[in-house]
């Protein structure tokens, strides 16, 4: 308004029939929680402006990560901070079915923590796999002579890839994750050294030499890169070892920069003054993590600042909250849930598209059509299970309590 306070939002409601509608919502408080900008590689994007050398690098962020919240904040006079601080994570999975896709699924530190080792295209280790993200990325980029000399990545250089290899004992330490990655085709189960070398397209003696050196280092308790913790070391008889291997590549993972905020999550203008009515939480804000955030701290940031902002904004109490499953035909609430109808396999299979997406989880059928585009891991994880039983895939990454916000539409009767 005229006094510089944010008093609502204006937007456009986009309809499938093309009859778009301009809408205006007034509110004494607006919270921006739109994420970062790592997925916008268009000319003039924030990535292009502040880190142009990273423009061709894939990202783990969803397609929504285009800096829209930063742009909205700037339009209200907000300041920004640390916009050039973009975290590169060393291990994003390369999907063999779609290797050039700019969107990658993260191969978290757990894969290396349980004993996964990184091998280059010569079949050699090149770093302490348990080092910081920045350290491992530096060792990866160091395979390029220009980077090794200048420590600056060239946007025209091909992004390197590496093999992440786990022994059977290492895989047991992250079984749920391994099963999930196997199901998605990102990890491959390989029996024996010869087959592993064939998968890597390398001579068996080269891979064997690296693994045997790793075994010797584990016995000594230290390698040339300073690694002193050796979990999941391959067994002595490499010919009978079962390996789990996948291809990984460095990926854009987090934007430390964003809108300037204070300790209460209020957005600040360029003079560090509070913009009344405007708040921010999560990756859309900047200055919280410094040059490079620690692993695990992004969700913590969302929780902390989301809680702070949520507590300080007065919310009108709702006196009549009820679940869809607790509605009577007349619209009133009841203590007894309505009985779910039975849904057969044939009926389930008919709802197998992005705009008509039913999935079975723990014997109950959920209509996830409206949630597909909101899924933090991307729509594909849901749409590929449309019209099917997705219990196994769900269990690999989620606890059952996450379904508390969703009402089933029926119970699955596989006939």
């Amino acid at each position: 308004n005229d006094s510089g306070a944010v008093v609502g939002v204006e937007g456009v409601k986009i309809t499938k029939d093309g009859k778009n509608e301009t809408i205006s919502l007034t509110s004494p408080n607006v919270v921006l929680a739109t994420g970062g900008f790592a997925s916008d590689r268009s000319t003039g994007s924030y990535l292009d402006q502040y880190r142009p050398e990273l423009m061709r690098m894939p990202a783990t962020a969803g397609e929504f990560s285009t800096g829209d919240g930063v742009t909205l904040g700037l339009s209200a006079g907000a300041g920004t901070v640390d916009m050039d601080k973009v975290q590169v994570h060393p291990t994003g999975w390369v999907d063999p079915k779609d290797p050039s896709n700019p969107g990658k699924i993260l191969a978290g530190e757990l894969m290396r923590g349980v004993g996964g080792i990184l091998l280059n295209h010569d079949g050699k280790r090149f770093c302490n796999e348990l080092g910081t993200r920045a350290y491992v990325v530096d060792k990866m980029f160091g395979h390029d002579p220009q980077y090794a000399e200048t420590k600056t990545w060239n946007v025209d250089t091909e992004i390197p890839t590496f093999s992440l290899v786990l022994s059977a004992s290492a895989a047991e330490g992250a079984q749920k994750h391994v099963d999930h990655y196997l199901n998605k085709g990102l990890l491959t189960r390989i029996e024996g050294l010869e087959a592993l070398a064939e998968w890597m397209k390398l001579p068996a003696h080269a891979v064997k030499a690296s693994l045997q050196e790793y075994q010797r280092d584990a016995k000594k308790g230290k390698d040339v890169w300073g690694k002193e913790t050796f979990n999941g070391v391959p067994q002595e008889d490499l010919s009978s070892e079962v390996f789990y291997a996948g291809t990984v590549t460095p990926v854009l993972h987090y934007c430390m920069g964003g809108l300037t905020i204070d300790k209460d999550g209020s957005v600040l203008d360029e003079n560090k003054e509070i913009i009344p009515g405007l708040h921010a939480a999560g990756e859309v804000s900047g200055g919280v993590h410094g040059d490079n955030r620690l692993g695990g701290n992004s969700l913590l940031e969302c929780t902390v600042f989301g809680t702070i902002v949520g507590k300080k904004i007065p919310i009108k109490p709702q006196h009549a909250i009820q679940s869809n499953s607790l509605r009577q035909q007349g619209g009133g609430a009841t203590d007894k849930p309505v009985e779910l109808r039975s849904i057969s396999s044939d009926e389930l299979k008919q709802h197998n598209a992005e705009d008509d997406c039913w999935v079975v989880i723990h014997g109950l059928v959920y209509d996830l059509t409206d949630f597909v585009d909101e899924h933090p891991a991307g729509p594909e994880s849901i749409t590929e299970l449309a019209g099917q039983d997705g219990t196994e895939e769900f269990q690999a990454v989620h606890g059952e309590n996450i379904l508390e916000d969703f009402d089933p539409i029926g119970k699955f009767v596989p006939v």
Side-chain angles (χ1 to χ4, degrees):
N1 61 17
D2 293 340
S3 63
V6 172
V7 293
V9 295
E10 288 186 352
V12 177
K13 183 177 181 181
I14 300 175
T15 59
K16 291 182 179 180
D17 58 9
K19 297 179 180 179
N20 298 339
E21 175 188 355
T22 300
I23 57 175
S24 181
L25 301 173
T26 58
S27 172
N29 292 283
V30 172
V31 182
L32 296 173
T34 54
F37 53 85
S39 289
D40 187 359
R41 300 174 184 83
S42 62
T43 301
S45 66
Y46 295 120
L47 198 61
D48 188 27
Q49 293 179 49
Y50 294 98
R51 295 298 300 274
E53 77 277 15
L54 303 179
M55 283 281 281
R56 292 180 57 194
M57 202 158 290
T60 58
E63 294 179 357
F64 61 84
S65 183
T66 54
D68 293 346
V70 175
T71 301
L72 287 170
L74 289 174
S75 71
T80 58
V81 60
D82 292 344
M83 290 293 283
D84 62 329
K85 311 300 184 188
V86 178
Q87 183 180 85
V88 181
H89 193 287
T91 53
W93 292 114
V94 177
D95 188 342
K97 301 184 296 296
D98 191 12
S100 61
N101 193 319
K104 304 297 185 191
I105 293 175
L106 185 72
E109 272 77 11
L110 178 64
M111 292 292 100
R112 287 172 281 136
V114 296
I117 61 174
L118 291 166
L119 301 175
N120 62 20
H121 288 288
D122 295 321
K124 297 181 178 180
R125 291 180 63 233
F126 54 88
C127 69
N128 174 359
E129 290 88 355
L130 302 182
T132 65
R133 294 174 178 181
Y135 160 81
V136 178
V137 168
D138 180 68
K139 291 296 186 181
M140 288 177 161
F141 284 174
H143 286 74
D144 174 64
Q146 181 178 349
Y147 177 87
E149 181 179 347
T150 66
K151 292 299 180 181
T152 300
W153 188 254
N154 187 329
V155 67
D156 295 321
T157 302
E158 183 178 354
I159 310 299
T161 60
F162 303 87
S163 295
L164 177 58
V165 180
L166 290 81
S167 68
S169 60
E172 287 179 4
Q175 197 63 58
K176 286 182 66 175
H177 293 76
V178 169
D179 290 343
H180 176 61
Y181 296 140
L182 284 169
N183 180 68
K184 296 188 75 67
L186 302 172
L187 269 179
T188 301
R189 184 181 186 277
I190 301 169
E191 297 186 7
L193 174 70
E194 294 284 343
L196 176 62
E198 182 178 350
W199 180 85
M200 296 180 65
K201 297 181 172 59
L202 288 172
H205 66 81
V207 180
K208 183 177 182 179
S210 291
L211 295 181
Q212 288 181 331
E213 182 179 13
Y214 188 67
Q215 291 170 331
R216 290 192 294 270
D217 289 339
K219 291 178 180 178
K220 290 187 299 182
K222 192 171 185 178
D223 67 9
V224 296
W225 296 283
K227 187 172 186 176
E228 297 181 340
T229 300
F230 296 85
N231 296 319
V233 178
Q235 61 177 295
E236 287 295 324
D237 182 6
L238 296 173
S239 64
S240 60
E241 177 66 271
V242 175
F243 298 98
Y244 295 85
T247 303
V248 294
T249 189
V251 286
L252 306 184
H253 187 51
Y254 193 86
C255 302
M256 275 70 69
L259 298 175
T260 307
I261 61 171
D262 65 8
K263 63 182 179 61
D264 297 318
S266 297
V267 176
L268 308 179
D269 64 19
E270 293 181 346
N271 297 317
K272 302 295 191 294
E273 298 292 333
I274 290 176
I275 299 175
L278 187 59
H279 319 268
E283 196 178 357
V284 70
S285 62
V288 176
H289 302 286
D291 281 354
N292 204 349
R293 77 167 175 84
L294 295 175
N297 275 9
S298 63
L299 285 178
L300 180 62
E301 175 191 12
C302 294
T303 302
V304 169
F305 282 95
T307 300
I308 290 172
V309 172
K311 284 185 175 180
K312 74 175 182 177
I313 294 176
I315 303 296
K316 183 178 180 180
Q318 292 179 315
H319 300 290
I321 301 175
Q322 59 184 10
S323 167
N324 289 335
S325 63
L326 298 177
R327 289 177 183 162
Q328 293 179 331
Q329 292 182 354
T334 176
D335 292 330
K336 184 178 180 180
V338 295
E339 184 175 351
L340 295 174
R341 72 181 185 86
S342 298
I343 297 176
S344 67
S345 300
D346 289 339
E347 182 179 0
L348 177 69
K349 291 176 183 178
Q350 296 174 21
H351 302 274
N352 61 356
E354 185 172 348
D355 60 353
D356 184 14
C357 181
W358 291 10
V359 180
V360 175
I361 303 174
H362 297 303
L364 298 176
V365 180
Y366 294 86
D367 183 353
L368 300 179
T369 306
D370 293 335
F371 180 68
V372 165
D373 290 330
E374 299 177 13
H375 187 227
E380 295 81 7
S381 300
I382 295 179
T383 56
E384 66 185 15
L385 299 173
Q388 304 176 51
D389 191 330
T391 302
E392 181 178 346
E393 291 80 0
F394 177 87
Q395 285 181 316
V397 291
H398 295 303
E400 193 167 354
N401 63 330
I402 201 171
L403 293 171
E404 291 176 357
D405 291 334
F406 299 86
D407 291 323
I409 61 172
K411 56 185 179 181
F412 182 52
V413 181
V415 294

